[in-house]
Amino acid sequence: MRWALVKVSLAVTTMVVVAFAVPLGLVIRELARDRAFSNAEREAAAVAPALSITTDRDELERVVASAGSDAGMAVHLPAGDGQEAVELGRRRAAEADIAAVRKLGRASTTGVAGGSTLLQPVALSTGKIAVVEVYVPESDVTNGVGTAWAVLAAVGVALILGSVAVADRLGVRMVRPAQRLVEGAHDLGEGRLGARVPEEGPSELRLAAVAFNSMADQVVQLLANERELAADLSHRLRTPLTVLRLNTASLGEGPAADQTRTAVEQLEREVDTIIRTAREAKPQTAAAGPGAGCDAAEVVRERMAFWSALAEDEGRKWRVAGADRPVRIPVARADLAAALDALLGNVFRHTAEGTAFAVDVHNGEDAVIVLVSDAGPGIPDPEAAMARGRGSGSDGSTGLGLDIVRRLAESTGGDVRIGSSVLGGTEVRIWIQLDGRAPATGGHRQPRRRRPGRLAAAYHRSRSR
């Protein structure tokens, strides 16, 4: 579009310049010619009064000399009254042309070697016709024409270049917002919901950008509502199932107890299958939209308040650290709540009653760390657990919990690590990046991280408690 506008401007400006410059150049040439012959007519007119008074050769030579054009002027006197024809100066015109001027009695121009001559008839006192010949060199006819044409050409080229430059700037002003709109639409189609278009450029493109941003905001809001609904359903289904599974341990032995435990396990598998199918059917977004952030400390306090009731029933000690001040992260509230519920649910499912656990939040300049640790037996093979978290799955584990946590961390450019906690069991560390790096795509990614001193110190203090 930009180059098309430049080409159109170039073609139109060139036609306008040619349409005006060519006729103007011809007019300039004619004006120069008219100026040269007007000067020749004035020179001839300066001699005419003397010819009407006298035909004396000496007098006429003085008159011609006083005119200052003796080198280019000639006077042709006809023969008569016993006098021979007299010619003063250098004759350049043909005799036939001079005779024709005497006969017709009007001025005429004729071409000669190196230029042209003006033949001006003058009536003598004797009634005869004398002819004054004024030589006009070709240089006088074209004097100033080349310079004028050069100026016209320079002005024309400047106009063409100026129009191209203006068209290019106008094209950029029009094309750049259009390109940004195309890129924004492409990013939104790829799932990067944070894509927005600057509302600038011509009014039509500004309106299109406003409409696009409004549409993107609506998409983000709809997906946020969908995630909140999915998280709510997950909370309503998985948490009661976890409690029910724990309670089946008190049923003792017997066919009825075994059938109940089998039914609960089958129900858990069915719920996991439904949730996994729903997650696979929904496209993952690569960036959180505007307003998708939340206060991690507030979410941690809320979810710990929920799980504390079950912890008291099972005699588990629990602790929360670093959640007393606001900690803003670029993650949706429902997503963080679902990740915490997944990790805390794993603690209750895979550790014995009475096992302590803790949640720590560490806030740094470019990242936030959320640690979920327990005093259980630990995970013998963290790599296998992370493989399940990347969707491989295994018997008795869907990997859904770690998959939720991994996707949340990688959506910010962070990652998830499993290690040993200071409580003696498992520690799951969620690294949430704050500096706006691009999220991981295509498999597990180990991004380069910067740990500011304050965050590193807090992190190591939590492990030494």
Side-chain angles (χ1 to χ4, degrees):
M1 180 179 178
R2 173 184 174 185
W3 295 115
L5 183 61
V6 170
K7 291 178 181 178
V8 171
S9 175
L10 178 62
V12 172
T13 307
T14 302
M15 288 190 294
V16 171
V17 168
V18 170
F20 281 92
V22 171
L24 187 57
L26 296 177
V27 168
I28 291 174
R29 188 180 67 177
E30 291 301 320
L31 288 175
R33 179 181 177 84
D34 291 343
R35 181 179 66 248
F37 281 97
S38 296
N39 293 334
E41 289 177 357
R42 284 195 298 270
E43 293 177 4
V47 180
L51 288 174
S52 64
I53 297 173
T54 180
T55 59
D56 183 70
R57 185 184 184 93
D58 295 335
E59 293 291 336
L60 293 178
E61 287 180 351
R62 284 196 295 270
V63 171
V64 171
S66 65
S69 302
D70 54 339
M73 181 182 291
V75 177
H76 307 287
L77 299 175
D81 296 335
Q83 294 181 351
E84 295 180 355
V86 177
E87 290 190 359
L88 300 177
R90 178 184 174 186
R91 181 170 66 85
R92 292 179 174 85
E95 185 64 33
D97 293 332
I98 297 173
V101 170
R102 282 197 180 104
K103 181 179 180 180
L104 296 175
R106 63 172 180 266
S108 176
T109 59
T110 182
V112 295
S116 301
T117 59
L118 171 67
L119 300 176
Q120 179 70 41
V122 177
L124 300 176
S125 58
T126 60
K128 298 293 183 176
I129 301 296
V131 177
V132 179
E133 176 185 349
V134 180
Y135 174 62
V136 181
E138 187 66 27
S139 59
D140 290 350
V141 175
T142 60
N143 184 29
V145 175
T147 302
W149 283 5
V151 172
L152 283 177
V155 172
V157 172
L159 288 175
I160 292 174
L161 294 178
S163 67
V164 170
V166 172
D168 181 70
R169 291 300 90 195
L170 291 176
V172 169
R173 186 172 177 267
M174 295 178 61
V175 171
R176 187 170 296 169
Q179 288 177 341
R180 289 174 178 171
L181 185 60
V182 171
E183 292 171 358
H186 181 268
D187 291 342
L188 187 63
E190 292 291 330
R192 290 184 283 274
L193 300 184
R196 294 296 182 272
V197 178
E199 298 173 2
E200 58 186 21
S203 58
E204 294 81 3
L205 292 177
R206 282 202 305 272
L207 293 176
V210 170
F212 175 84
N213 292 339
S214 177
M215 177 193 67
D217 292 338
Q218 291 292 330
V219 171
V220 169
Q221 186 61 41
L222 291 174
L223 290 179
N225 294 337
E226 180 184 351
R227 288 194 298 268
E228 291 177 2
L229 178 61
D232 183 64
L233 292 175
S234 175
H235 295 161
R236 293 185 182 186
L237 292 174
R238 295 295 302 276
T239 302
L241 283 176
T242 301
V243 176
L244 183 61
R245 184 177 181 279
L246 294 173
N247 290 337
T248 56
S250 62
L251 295 179
E253 301 296 334
D258 293 339
Q259 292 177 359
T260 301
R261 283 190 285 268
T262 302
V264 171
E265 292 175 356
Q266 182 178 0
L267 183 58
E268 283 185 322
R269 287 194 297 271
E270 293 296 334
V271 170
D272 290 341
T273 301
I274 293 173
I275 296 176
R276 183 190 295 112
T277 302
R279 287 177 61 84
E280 291 176 352
K282 182 181 69 175
Q284 293 296 319
T285 61
C294 69
D295 183 357
E298 181 182 356
V299 176
V300 168
R301 291 196 302 269
E302 175 187 320
R303 300 320 303 159
M304 287 301 292
F306 174 83
W307 288 95
S308 62
L310 183 58
E312 291 178 1
D313 291 342
E314 295 187 358
R316 297 175 181 266
K317 294 181 180 181
W318 57 274
R319 174 180 58 82
V320 177
D324 53 340
R325 291 180 298 177
V327 179
R328 296 297 303 180
I329 59 174
V331 173
R333 180 187 185 91
D335 291 345
L336 180 60
L340 289 174
D341 284 341
L343 294 179
L344 293 174
N346 285 340
V347 172
F348 281 84
R349 291 179 63 186
H350 300 294
T351 62
E353 294 186 10
T355 301
F357 65 96
V359 177
D360 298 271
V361 180
H362 303 294
N363 187 15
E365 294 180 359
D366 64 349
V368 171
I369 293 178
V370 178
L371 300 174
V372 178
S373 54
D374 61 64
I379 298 179
D381 191 351
E383 293 185 1
M386 287 304 302
R388 290 195 299 274
R390 291 191 290 271
S392 65
S394 65
D395 293 338
S397 173
T398 64
L400 180 62
L402 286 177
D403 183 59
I404 294 174
V405 178
R406 180 184 61 82
R407 290 180 183 273
L408 177 140
E410 290 184 352
S411 69
T412 68
D415 66 356
V416 177
R417 296 289 180 86
I418 298 177
S420 299
S421 72
V422 294
L423 299 179
T426 302
E427 176 188 88
V428 179
R429 190 213 65 183
I430 310 173
W431 185 284
I432 300 173
Q433 200 71 31
L434 300 179
D435 58 1
R437 286 202 182 102
T441 57
H444 186 60
R445 168 175 168 262
Q446 299 295 339
R448 180 174 60 88
R449 300 179 301 276
R450 302 192 306 269
R451 283 190 183 177
R454 186 175 60 183
L455 179 59
Y459 176 76
H460 290 297
R461 281 200 302 273
S462 69
R463 295 183 59 86
S464 61
R465 290 174 182 172

